[in-house]
Amino acid sequence: MDLENQRRVKALAEQYGPENTVVLLGAAEGEAAGLAAETVTNGDPTFAGPLTGVQLGLRVYHVCEPEVKAEFDPDVYSEQVEMMEMVLDVDDIVNEMTAIREQYCKY
């Protein structure tokens, strides 16, 4: 997760409270999604950004996770995400996101 997005997430969590903040990711692979998820839950593991040492514990999901997908209008999901979903390893992404939530999410 780039430094600007870290700054934005931190500011939104401070403004609305971490218990009211959910991060939705769209990374193309499980490892990238996991790194971003770890950043917004446990702090920046690269020690380079605004979330270094900041354990927000935010709820974090990937757009392709079944519980998130179910929240979208099917036509919008089909138009915006479905084509990409066909080439993703969704199981890997779901496993990575689940592990991060179980380990670091506070809310």
Side-chain angles (χ1 to χ4, degrees):
M1 176 176 285
D2 69 36
L3 304 182
E4 182 59 24
N5 283 337
Q6 286 188 41
R7 186 193 64 71
R8 287 179 183 143
V9 168
K10 184 178 180 187
L12 289 168
E14 289 170 351
Q15 181 178 356
Y16 297 105
E19 69 280 2
N20 297 316
T21 306
V22 177
V23 177
L24 186 61
L25 302 173
E29 49 188 47
E31 187 175 344
L35 185 60
E38 183 177 350
T39 300
V40 301
T41 56
N42 193 46
D44 184 356
T46 67
F47 300 101
L51 292 178
T52 297
V54 179
Q55 297 176 327
L56 294 175
L58 300 178
R59 287 174 286 175
V60 59
Y61 296 91
H62 192 279
V63 70
C64 292
E65 289 187 89
E67 60 265 48
V68 175
K69 184 177 177 178
E71 296 297 319
F72 282 93
D73 176 295
D75 292 332
V76 172
Y77 192 89
S78 177
E79 180 182 317
Q80 299 293 322
V81 181
E82 199 167 61
M83 191 69 120
M84 187 63 184
E85 182 184 31
M86 293 181 346
V87 299
L88 299 178
D89 185 346
V90 175
D91 290 337
D92 182 50
I93 291 169
V94 169
N95 290 337
E96 187 74 25
M97 298 302 293
T98 301
I100 294 294
R101 281 194 300 271
E102 288 174 353
Q103 189 170 4
Y104 300 121
C105 284
K106 297 178 185 177
Y107 305 99

